[in-house]
Amino acid sequence: MAYFPEVVDRVRFEGRSSRNPLAFRFYDPDKRVGGKTMREHLRFAVCYWHTFKATGMDPFGQPTMDRPWKTPRETMDAAFEFFQKLGVDFWCFHDFDIATEGDSYAQSGKNLAEMVSYAEEKQAQTGVRLLWGTANLFGNPRYQAGASTNPDPAVFAYAAAQVKNALDATKRLGGLGYVFWGGREGYDTLLNTDMARERAQFAKLLWMAIDYAKSIGFSGQLYIEPKPKEPTTHQYDSNAEACLNFLREFGLMDHLKLNLETNHATLAGHSMLHELRVARAAGVLGSVDANTGDELIGWDTDQFPTSVYLTTSIMLEILEMGGFTTGGLNFDAKVRRQSHEPVDLLYAHIGGMDAFARGLEVAHAIREDGRLAEHVRRRYEGWDSDLGRKILSGELSMKDCANYALTNPEPTRVSGRQEYLENLVNEFIL
Ligand code: XLS
Ligand code: NI
Ligand code: NI
């Protein structure tokens, strides 16, 4: 049975002039941009949770999604049919997206192992690979006060046991990475919270995972995914800079990179570009959860990315770091509640892939042109002068600076040229 009969074989590239809503207009997988093909640059992944498991339920209403796949096996059949028809190379999942959580840890483990075997077959048949795996440490009521950050060590033990199975599953499926997203690792109120303790517990779970991964020979990249709030009032991995502080504090910098998500960046009051820049500057930019928020709703709507301005800025940072290694662009995005038909999933992903393909082309063109980078280089050129070098090397003291100010004229102000640069970017987008 075909779950996505609207596409017979594959979504095809038909070019800019195509009016076929089930074709790519910009994503041409084998087209070369710079030294690599689009598919090599973009490394698209489909996420299992939103795409195949989201029901459309919201705090005000019941499920809306029409989903002909019901059992875990049917769901996986639908998923791999979708991956193949869309032509993505990767997927991502939480343990209990693919398997039903049982009444006991033992039963859950059995259910998961069974579905991992099925996924192994599906991957072998289709060539689709696992970008990253993760564990759902937030859904079960036992985690209401956090998983690793729970005041009860018994809950920590259950969480660690669950991560063990999820790491085993990720290893078996040849996963390139494993993600820790805070989930409920934060607080609802400080009145009942020992923050210092909870942060140390969180770090302990990460250290356990590092040790366990090593012991089973899992060499995939571990990531932490920042998010400021929701479901908790404050998450300990609130943004890229907070994560860096946390990783440095607990000696974890060499073991984890960041998986950055656009909607989480904006909830934190930052642009995605800011978060990417922070991570890249620290050498820990790992992977991207490609989505976007709603400008007017203050929660994590996880919408599909359609803005070429956004995708351009993301791809500028990715190209600047030399491209993804283990990471990729995971559509951690869900169709709207009213988009309840399976075909809406196709429209959503095709749109996101096209927006990123165009963003890649624009970012590449901006870099080839060189004016933007040259502007930044020239802006700081003074630091290569005698004065700049002496300040940085420590040769000049504060007193020497005072002497400088006494003997030199007022510095000349230089325009930041923000509008000129904004126009420059638009020159490539329009
Ligand atoms: C939720 C997170 C989640 C992680 C995986 O807001 O984005 O989907 O990516 O647990
Ligand atoms: Ni995410
Ligand atoms: Ni999100």
Side-chain angles (χ1 to χ4, degrees):
M1 157 176 187
Y3 291 103
F4 301 95
E6 299 83 358
V7 173
V8 179
D9 166 33
R10 236 164 222 281
V11 176
R12 304 265 168 214
F13 169 73
E14 291 183 5
R16 199 190 261 266
S17 60
S18 172
R19 292 291 172 265
N20 174 3
L22 289 172
F24 295 120
R25 299 175 65 238
F26 295 97
Y27 182 58
D28 183 2
D30 298 319
K31 178 173 175 185
R32 293 190 89 75
V33 178
K36 288 195 278 190
T37 62
M38 280 192 165
R39 99 176 315 136
E40 288 166 338
H41 276 291
L42 298 167
R43 295 166 65 86
F44 289 123
V46 170
C47 88
Y48 212 91
W49 52 101
H50 288 319
T51 298
F52 306 105
K53 301 286 288 186
T55 62
M57 211 160 83
D58 74 7
F60 303 93
Q62 297 173 8
T64 57
M65 297 297 163
D66 282 348
R67 297 293 183 247
W69 51 88
K70 305 289 177 205
T71 66
R73 278 186 176 242
E74 285 169 2
T75 307
M76 196 164 278
D77 290 340
F80 277 82
E81 180 192 326
F82 188 79
F83 303 156
Q84 259 204 311
K85 287 187 168 171
L86 201 58
V88 292
D89 292 324
F90 299 98
W91 66 300
C92 297
F93 74 99
H94 298 84
D95 46 2
F96 301 131
D97 299 337
I98 62 168
T100 311
E101 188 165 11
D103 291 334
S104 65
Y105 176 68
Q107 186 59 52
S108 297
K110 244 183 91 202
N111 294 354
L112 179 61
E114 220 181 281
M115 287 311 296
V116 168
S117 299
Y118 196 48
E120 239 174 346
E121 279 174 39
K122 291 275 176 190
Q123 287 194 156
Q125 280 162 19
T126 58
V128 176
R129 298 163 72 200
L130 180 64
L131 190 67
W132 49 262
T134 186
N136 180 328
L137 300 179
F138 41 90
N140 191 296
R142 104 170 52 89
Y143 298 129
Q144 66 180 34
S148 68
T149 60
N150 202 286
D152 180 356
V155 176
F156 181 108
Y158 257 76
Q162 204 184 315
V163 171
K164 177 194 166 294
N165 283 348
L167 279 167
D168 287 337
T170 304
K171 157 118 206 287
R172 255 180 76 194
L173 293 171
L176 300 184
Y178 184 91
V179 163
F180 291 89
W181 164 59
R184 292 187 193 273
E185 312 294 35
Y187 62 79
D188 291 335
T189 169
L190 281 172
L191 291 175
N192 64 14
T193 301
D194 183 337
M195 193 199 273
R197 229 181 229 285
E198 293 200 358
R199 291 176 69 253
Q201 289 169 211
F202 191 7
K204 182 54 77 186
L205 180 79
L206 297 179
W207 270 113
M208 271 188 187
I210 291 162
D211 291 342
Y212 184 71
K214 204 166 157 199
S215 77
I216 60 170
F218 174 63
S219 54
Q221 177 64 51
L222 303 182
Y223 305 99
I224 185 162
E225 179 177 326
K227 182 172 181 177
K229 55 191 167 196
E230 198 196 315
T232 66
T233 307
H234 174 80
Q235 312 258 125
Y236 295 134
D237 54 1
S238 56
N239 63 20
E241 282 174 320
C243 282
L244 291 183
N245 177 55
F246 176 80
L247 294 177
R248 289 190 176 118
E249 185 176 343
F250 294 99
L252 290 157
M253 269 302 267
D254 292 340
H255 301 281
L256 287 107
K257 286 188 173 172
L258 302 189
N259 178 42
L260 296 167
E261 176 170 324
T262 310
N263 206 164
H264 298 180
T266 48
L267 283 175
H270 299 306
S271 65
M272 181 59 165
L273 182 58
H274 168 90
E275 292 291 88
L276 291 163
R277 185 69 63 87
V278 166
R280 183 168 66 74
V284 294
L285 173 46
S287 201
V288 167
D289 271 5
N291 67 12
T292 194
D294 184 282
E295 279 172 30
L296 307 176
I297 301 179
W299 45 286
D300 196 16
T301 55
D302 287 337
Q303 291 172 219
F304 276 82
T306 52
S307 156
V308 177
Y309 209 93
L310 170 69
T311 58
T312 297
S313 66
I314 292 175
M315 292 317 297
L316 274 171
E317 288 301 306
I318 300 302
L319 291 178
E320 186 61 29
M321 79 159 180
F324 288 118
T325 50
T326 53
L329 295 169
N330 169 46
F331 288 113
D332 190 353
K334 53 176 183 266
V335 290
R336 300 301 83 199
R337 191 164 185 268
Q338 295 181 52
S339 308
H340 62 278
E341 297 174 2
V343 70
D344 289 309
L345 294 170
L346 285 166
Y347 295 136
H349 284 83
I350 289 169
M353 290 164 79
D354 261 351
F356 266 100
R358 187 69 194 127
L360 166 65
E361 286 181 332
V362 172
H364 176 70
I366 290 174
R367 288 166 55 81
E368 286 281 288
D369 170 79
R371 274 176 291 163
L372 184 62
E374 178 58 14
H375 184 89
V376 177
R377 193 195 62 75
R378 273 207 266 115
R379 192 157 182 251
Y380 292 90
E381 168 170 85
W383 286 95
D384 296 329
S385 73
D386 201 39
L387 176 65
R389 270 190 282 110
K390 280 188 175 154
I391 291 174
L392 288 182
S393 67
E395 243 175 278
L396 287 191
S397 69
M398 208 161 251
K399 248 179 153 174
D400 296 328
C401 287
N403 207 18
Y404 177 90
L406 280 175
T407 53
N408 283 276
E410 178 70 25
T412 323
R413 289 180 304 121
V414 180
S415 167
R417 299 268 187 263
Q418 179 167 335
E419 298 76 10
Y420 162 85
L421 294 171
E422 285 166 348
N423 295 351
L424 181 64
V425 171
N426 269 358
E427 186 185 317
F428 292 87
I429 291 183
L430 300 177

